Amino acid sequence: MTIATLLVANRGEIACRIFRTCRDLGITTVAVYSDADADALHVREADLAVRLPGAAPADTYLRGDLVVAAARAAGADAVHPGYGFLSENAAFAAAVQDAGLVWVGPPVKAIELMASKTRAKELMAGAGVPLLAPVDPATAGEDDLPLLLKAAAGGGGRGMRIVRELDALPGEVLAAAAEAASAFGDGEVFAEPYVERGRHVEVQVMADAHDTVWALGTRDCSLQRRHQKVIEEAPAPGLDDALRTRLHEAAVAAARAVGYRGAGTVEFLVSADGRPYFLEMNTRLQVEHPVTEAVFGLDLVALQLRAAEGEPLPSPEPPQPSGHAVEARLYAEDPARDWQPQTGALLTLEVPEGPGLRLDTGYTGGDTIGVHYDPMIAKVIAHAPTRTEAVRLLARALERARIHGPVTNRELLVRSLRHPDFAAARLDTGFYDRHLADLTAPGAGRDPATAALAATLAEAVGGAEAGRGVVAGRPTRPGGPAPARFGAWRNVPSQPQRKRYRSEPDGTEHEVAYRTPRTGVPEPYETPGTRVLTATPDHVTLEVGGVTRRFAITVHADRVHVDATDASYTFTALPRFTDPATHAAPGSLLAPMPGTVVRLAEDLAAGVTVEAGQPLIWLEAMKMEHRILAPASGTLTALHAAPGHQVEVGALLAVVQEGPAATTPVPVPVPEETA
């Protein structure tokens, strides 16, 4: 059957990615969207769109019945699940086919066999694929530690926990089961040995209905936070030919064992001594598929559609790989604050274009990053003849990108790509556990003080031009006199004007002094070695220590974004005097982000005694669960949260009074994320 109209049962970046291939193939596209996504990019790019009433995933993108009904209403003849949501749900795949629609994915039986990680391991053992022996948590001993708990029906790090102490095992099993049940509707968890300093290596497979299975090389996905991938590359560096061959053969054996068809990924853990162990098979397209596409010169989505139409793969053997590709996931999150997700308006998103660079995204400048879904903004991919060239190209593209809005992990990505361990391909899943503090520390080579100076000069020029009836070189009051302005040139010496900024997100304050001389061009005051070459409201060029540096300045309300050639800075312009109303009461627990209160500590109520660090409130935001901890030992004097409540960032959740007579403000801790 030839596919004419395709519905993508997903959202964001992956929906846009699939639509791109459909446009190239002449296939009509259908989007589904929740109320929160009504103006999302994937909706704007689709030919047709169908609303799924509600905002939460459980009410929208996880409702298979509504998605099938949407496909019928739009006249679609096929459904592509993307990744996440219902992409590995066998019942949904069956429902799509029962409705007479083409399922762009593997057979239902293959999904069922691989849906449970415990059953998949049994099947792989029978096929001769190497794997880690499971450990029964009920009988585990000290010799079995450390253990890794995993959700049998899950993925994406949900329900996953590392246990290093035997006493903690029962509680962690219960917590993992509760999270798995909430995320996947299945609370089954299992345990296996945790391999220290293991590498996460996977093999992309592609199969058709004519007994052809391709193993499309390896990918290394070892750089992870909370068991979720951050940087991926192909091919996986540093593997010898024997190990690479063994991984390819094991992946093909896994695919053949379940009668696979379409795109899938077989994931392995490779120990420090080079032994591979089967982890799971993802019966869908992976987030990191672009690096394989770049190296092999393929469109995996086009091949998925071809396989779904019953066509054979183009040849019995896959094409030869060429070069190296690296992908970085750009997230709206603050790595320095325990990877806390961020929300808000994405004001600007501009990533350099050019040979070897690719951007996959579900956002454009002006869109809003909400609380209901994963905080990934985009994937940036670089392809070059060698690994060194690809890594360098990607780091520079990220460094030069203009990203204005919520805090992102952009600087962490750049530093990771340039870290000596990454450059030398010394990769393992503990990379961020060891290096996060250094990677998020105030960076050498950054110069926020000079960036704040550029912001100040741009504002001063803008104010002066507005006063003369000119903004950005254009008259604003043609024919009328220019009103006088405070702060312009004076005929007598005067004290310098001052401007204060706060760096985001670290909170460092900068005070800049400047004067406006007879020339009308503001100049820094008491800043030796710095000279203003040009200054407009949007661009400032400075000579600093004999080196010319250029800055682009963008202002959004009280936020000022300064993009230099080697770094980007975000400032909040501070008023001359602090508003006392902005101070929270001592001991106040404020919501660190918009979200939903999912549960409270047992018997939590006003008047109870709490201990410092005790989890009091659980918030769910952006597919992650966050614990709000007691800031100090004392009495809970107020509780404003209840399960099911939607809260905005900064909302007062509770108040803890430290001791019987607290008189000093209590700092609110950064919430600890449990996902």
Side-chain angles (χ1 to χ4, degrees):
M1 174 182 177
T2 299
I3 296 172
T5 302
L6 178 76
L7 180 141
V8 177
N10 219 292
R11 63 175 300 279
E13 169 267 325
I14 186 56
C16 294
R17 158 70 189 94
I18 296 167
F19 292 161
R20 185 166 67 240
T21 290
C22 288
R23 285 194 295 271
D24 293 341
L25 297 178
I27 297 174
T28 301
T29 56
V30 182
V32 289
Y33 65 93
S34 68
D35 291 341
D37 274 341
D39 193 39
L41 181 61
H42 77 279
V43 179
R44 305 197 301 266
E45 288 199 345
D47 296 311
L48 304 168
V50 181
R51 174 180 174 242
L52 305 177
D59 300 327
T60 54
Y61 298 108
L62 289 173
R63 284 284 302 275
D65 57 333
L66 296 183
V67 174
V68 171
R72 284 174 160 170
D77 45 35
V79 172
H80 192 303
Y83 52 69
F85 294 134
L86 295 168
S87 62
E88 295 179 277
N89 187 303
F92 175 61
V96 168
Q97 294 173 319
D98 290 344
L101 305 169
V102 174
W103 168 250
V104 185
V108 172
K109 188 63 176 178
I111 300 175
E112 290 176 339
L113 290 171
M114 289 298 179
S116 169
K117 293 182 175 63
T118 51
R119 291 197 301 271
K121 285 178 178 289
E122 294 170 359
L123 186 64
M124 292 303 101
V129 177
L131 47 82
L132 289 167
V135 176
D136 184 354
T139 60
E142 292 288 347
D143 292 341
D144 296 312
L145 298 177
L147 288 173
L148 182 64
L149 301 180
K150 301 174 75 172
R158 300 300 300 270
M160 193 177 292
R161 282 164 169 74
I162 300 172
V163 181
R164 300 184 183 277
E165 297 178 1
L166 202 58
D167 291 344
L169 183 57
E172 292 292 347
V173 169
L174 290 175
E179 186 179 359
S182 173
F184 311 114
D186 184 343
E188 182 187 355
V189 298
F190 66 96
E192 64 186 18
Y194 177 68
V195 178
E196 302 280 7
R197 296 216 169 194
R199 290 178 61 180
H200 187 120
V201 178
E202 58 191 33
V203 177
Q204 174 75 58
V205 296
M206 177 63 68
D208 61 21
H210 304 273
D211 202 35
T212 299
V213 180
W214 285 356
L216 292 169
T218 56
R219 295 189 290 249
D220 189 291
C221 308
S222 297
L223 266 64
Q224 303 177 4
R225 53 93 164 116
R226 290 198 198 89
H227 311 291
Q228 294 178 329
K229 302 162 189 173
V230 178
I231 295 177
E232 306 103 342
E233 59 182 307
L239 304 183
D240 59 44
D241 290 341
L243 177 55
R244 204 177 296 275
T245 299
R246 188 179 184 192
L247 293 174
H248 288 177
E249 291 176 349
V252 171
R256 291 194 181 282
V258 295
Y260 203 78
R261 188 176 68 214
T265 299
V266 184
E267 302 194 344
F268 299 90
L269 185 68
V270 177
S271 65
D273 59 2
R275 288 182 294 175
Y277 300 101
F278 172 81
L279 288 176
E280 61 182 330
M281 183 176 186
N282 289 306
T283 53
R284 55 173 168 81
L285 200 64
Q286 292 279 87
V287 179
E288 58 272 19
H289 76 273
V291 293
T292 298
E293 291 185 320
V295 168
F296 282 88
L298 295 171
D299 183 333
L300 292 179
V301 173
L303 290 177
Q304 283 186 296
L305 295 169
R306 180 175 183 149
E309 291 176 327
E311 295 295 320
L313 290 172
S315 63
E317 298 295 329
Q320 289 299 307
S322 174
H324 200 95
V326 189
E327 172 182 291
R329 302 189 193 186
L330 181 68
Y331 284 99
E333 65 184 12
D334 187 350
R337 299 181 65 191
D338 198 26
W339 311 96
Q340 187 180 106
Q342 306 291 301
T343 60
L346 181 64
L347 304 167
T348 305
L349 177 62
E350 297 176 4
V351 178
E353 299 178 351
L357 290 174
R358 167 175 165 179
L359 176 69
D360 283 12
T361 182
Y363 292 96
T364 59
D367 289 344
T368 298
I369 300 171
V371 302
H372 298 287
Y373 313 111
D374 187 272
M376 189 174 75
I377 298 172
K379 304 179 311 196
V380 186
I381 304 100
H383 179 231
T386 68
R387 181 178 190 268
T388 298
E389 292 172 294
V391 170
R392 181 174 60 198
L393 179 62
L394 179 57
R396 185 62 178 141
L398 288 165
E399 189 174 56
R400 294 177 54 225
R402 297 180 68 234
I403 308 163
H404 303 157
V407 174
T408 73
N409 68 335
R410 184 257 301 273
E411 187 170 343
L412 173 89
L413 296 174
V414 174
R415 292 190 185 185
S416 299
L417 292 165
R418 291 174 175 167
H419 192 278
D421 281 357
F422 187 86
R426 292 190 292 266
L427 309 173
D428 66 80
T429 55
F431 180 88
Y432 286 122
D433 293 336
R434 296 191 302 276
H435 300 304
L436 184 62
D438 291 338
L439 292 169
T440 56
R446 287 179 61 82
D447 188 0
T450 301
L453 170 62
T456 299
L457 298 175
E459 182 190 37
V461 170
E465 289 189 353
R468 294 194 302 270
V470 176
V471 172
R474 295 186 297 274
T476 59
R477 299 180 181 86
R485 282 182 55 83
F486 291 109
W489 176 80
R490 301 179 182 181
N491 197 34
V492 295
S494 64
Q495 292 298 310
Q497 293 182 282
R498 298 185 182 275
K499 184 70 179 177
R500 293 192 307 127
Y501 294 97
R502 182 179 65 241
S503 288
E504 304 296 347
D506 62 35
T508 304
E509 291 193 12
H510 303 274
E511 184 173 88
V512 180
Y514 71 97
R515 277 181 172 169
T516 306
R518 186 186 298 270
T519 61
V521 178
E523 61 184 25
Y525 181 76
E526 294 181 349
T527 308
T530 300
R531 186 164 64 97
V532 181
L533 301 182
T534 62
T536 72
D538 304 316
H539 293 87
V540 171
T541 304
L542 302 175
E543 185 182 86
V544 183
V547 178
T548 299
R549 300 179 60 188
R550 296 178 177 83
F551 303 85
I553 293 88
T554 308
V555 179
H556 299 282
D558 64 344
R559 286 293 177 99
V560 183
H561 299 273
V562 181
D563 295 298
T565 57
D566 57 353
S568 295
Y569 307 86
T570 301
F571 301 103
T572 297
L574 299 176
R576 292 183 62 193
F577 304 103
T578 302
D579 182 359
T582 61
H583 290 288
S588 297
L589 275 71
L590 307 181
M593 67 200 73
T596 303
V597 177
V598 292
R599 60 190 174 108
L600 306 177
E602 187 175 357
D603 299 326
L604 190 68
V608 304
T609 301
V610 299
E611 298 293 329
Q614 175 186 343
L616 303 180
I617 301 166
W618 280 258
L619 273 182
E620 187 173 273
M622 305 178 86
K623 296 172 64 178
M624 301 179 189
E625 193 174 271
H626 311 261
R627 295 188 298 176
I628 309 300
L629 311 179
S633 297
T635 303
L636 189 77
T637 59
L639 179 63
H640 302 284
H645 280 184
Q646 295 280 338
V647 297
E648 296 299 321
V649 61
L652 180 63
L653 303 176
V655 179
V656 175
Q657 182 175 353
E658 184 179 6
T663 58
T664 58
V666 179
V668 179
V670 176
E672 178 182 343
E673 194 163 313
T674 61

